[in-house]
Amino acid sequence: MKKTNTIKTSALLLFIYSLFLQTVPILAQMPPDINERIRKEGMENSQIMRTIHYFSDVYGPRLTGSPNHKAAADWAVKTMKEWKFDNAALEAWDFGHPGWVNERASGFITAPVQDSLVFEVLAWTPGTSGAVKGEAFQMILPERPTQEELTAYLNSVKASVGGKMILMGKPAVVPVNITPSPKRLNDEDLKKRLDPNATPQAFPNPPAPIAPKLGQLTPAQIAEQVDKFLLDNRAAVRINDAGREHGQIRAFNNRTFDVAKVVPTVVLRNEDFGRIARLLNDKTAVSLEFDIRNKSIPEGTTSYNTIGEIAGTDKKDEVIMLGGHLDSWHAATGATDNAVGCAIMMEAARILKTLDVKPRRTIRVALWSGEEQGLLGSQAYVKKHFGSFETPTANYEKFGGYFNIDSGTGRARALTVFGTPETATILREIIAPFAEYGVVGAINTKSRGLGGSDHTSFNQGGLPGIGVLQDPIEYGSHTWHTNLDTYERIIEDDVKKSAVVIAAAVYALAMRDELLPRYPKAEMPALPDAAPRPNPSPAPRP
């Protein structure tokens, strides 16, 4: 009996020792103090504000297809090479539209008073070919018109638009906000939101949509006819109301991307739009002057994703990705949307490279373009490199997760991941050491729908896209897509801490024995029917 026990004990010890020998190389590559080293490098030697400065002050704005975006992407490649990243390069994809830039624009009210106007130019619209002057004329379309109603209205004003400055619609009524939303997420509310065992919150049913009347035109049909009407009747400039408080302006694009199909168009701050409309309503003639210089960029039909890597070791053919979109709208310099996300992800990888860690899997940074036009760059990349659950490429099973930041300057507070509850549990444990930064946890999602930001391009493919939930700060209320999106809105401590958390999480996934678990084949959620839309309104990024 004693001899048998001795043999069993010896065999067990030998087995345990063999496991230890197998584990030693991994332990040697993942020091127990790695998180502290990441903290120290990220908080004491950060390059993140310099990176944001270059992306926003030097190269902003970075509209997809513009020379500024290409220059920013080239600078990112140069910088990653200086940081000794592997395989830093641009990867082309077909945008399908020429690029566009606004070189300069000025506008004035010249009578009955003289004053400067505050506005932004609508992208992919023509310039004025020099200064143009004209009287203001307000067009107020009938509500929910039929074809007959719209035609009758346009005929009634046809003689009044030639050479005029056309105010489109009534000024929006923007109430004073007495109870603004908090700028930080409440810890307890966030924990409840991320509790996988919590009872799902019941939301009130949205109001029923107004039933269309017989023959009612769609918004797209109305817009197409109005654009053609203004062009055919030689309106000088179209003026849209920004409809936001405190001079905020969001200027997107001519939906056709064809400058020949619209007249020069600006988005005027609500305060100026309202002033002109009130003067007109008093039967006072108003004269305006605009000088708008825009330029089309033919080579912008090719856009670029920006890629850089830290090569892996024994599992180098498997990849962990992190990134954000480098393109921005043109009303400001695109600091919080999304120079900050790109800088955080570059910084996270820089921290790991500086510490000379040897990740088992390859770590790949991606800075996307075309996000603002519908997640186009990341969709093209996922399709080319990984395919989808339904049509996988050879690398589909070698993908281990993509972290995305795209909600402004606020600290990283939690993660959402496309995957099983076990996937969220793994991420929750990885980020737990950063609770003092306000990091709360992670939760899984089953949605393969596109929207919000580029991690959903991975989700759509059935891959683990990881969205980072952040403190809102001023993102949705002030800086998202507005003329206020500048370097000054960045909170340095927040972005440094976000980079630290992401660096630790990426490294942990790069070192695990197994990739993040995915939905089994029989449980893979189905693709939704809806197509992705460009970003017309705020959406929860994670």
Side-chain angles (χ1 to χ4, degrees), residues 25 94 98 516 533:
D94 183 17
L516 283 174
R533 298 182 302 168

Side-chain angles (χ1 to χ4, degrees), residues 324-400:
H325 71 90
L326 185 56
D327 67 301
S328 75
W329 286 111
H330 56 291
T333 57
T336 70
D337 190 18
N338 185 35
V340 67
C342 294
I344 286 170
M345 297 317 203
M346 283 179 62
E347 174 69 6
R350 184 204 66 80
I351 290 169
L352 298 176
K353 189 67 178 178
T354 301
L355 296 179
D356 197 28
V357 299
K358 305 297 181 185
R360 303 180 70 193
R361 296 180 179 86
T362 295
I363 294 170
R364 183 179 300 160
V365 178
L367 313 181
W368 314 110
S369 61
E371 191 271 352
E372 298 293 7
Q373 289 73 44
L375 317 182
L376 302 181
S378 57
Q379 285 190 77
Y381 185 89
V382 171
K383 181 179 180 181
K384 175 181 176 180
H385 291 273
F386 305 114
S388 68
F389 173 75
E390 290 76 16
T391 57
T393 68
N395 291 322
Y396 185 80
E397 296 298 337
K398 297 177 181 179
F399 178 78

Side-chain angles (χ1 to χ4, degrees), residues 242-298:
R244 297 185 61 81
E245 65 180 358
H246 304 313
Q248 294 176 26
I249 301 171
R250 286 178 177 163
F252 297 115
N253 61 278
N254 159 26
R255 71 196 185 288
T256 70
F257 294 90
D258 186 345
V259 298
K261 291 186 176 181
V262 292
V263 299
T265 304
V266 302
V267 182
L268 189 63
R269 69 173 176 174
N270 178 252
E271 294 85 349
D272 286 339
F273 193 99
R275 180 187 191 183
I276 295 169
R278 288 188 294 273
L279 288 169
L280 293 175
N281 191 54
D282 279 341
K283 309 302 180 184
T284 302
V286 177
S287 296
L288 305 175
E289 176 183 331
F290 285 95
D291 186 354
I292 302 168
R293 305 182 193 182
N294 299 334
K295 184 178 180 180
S296 291
I297 313 295

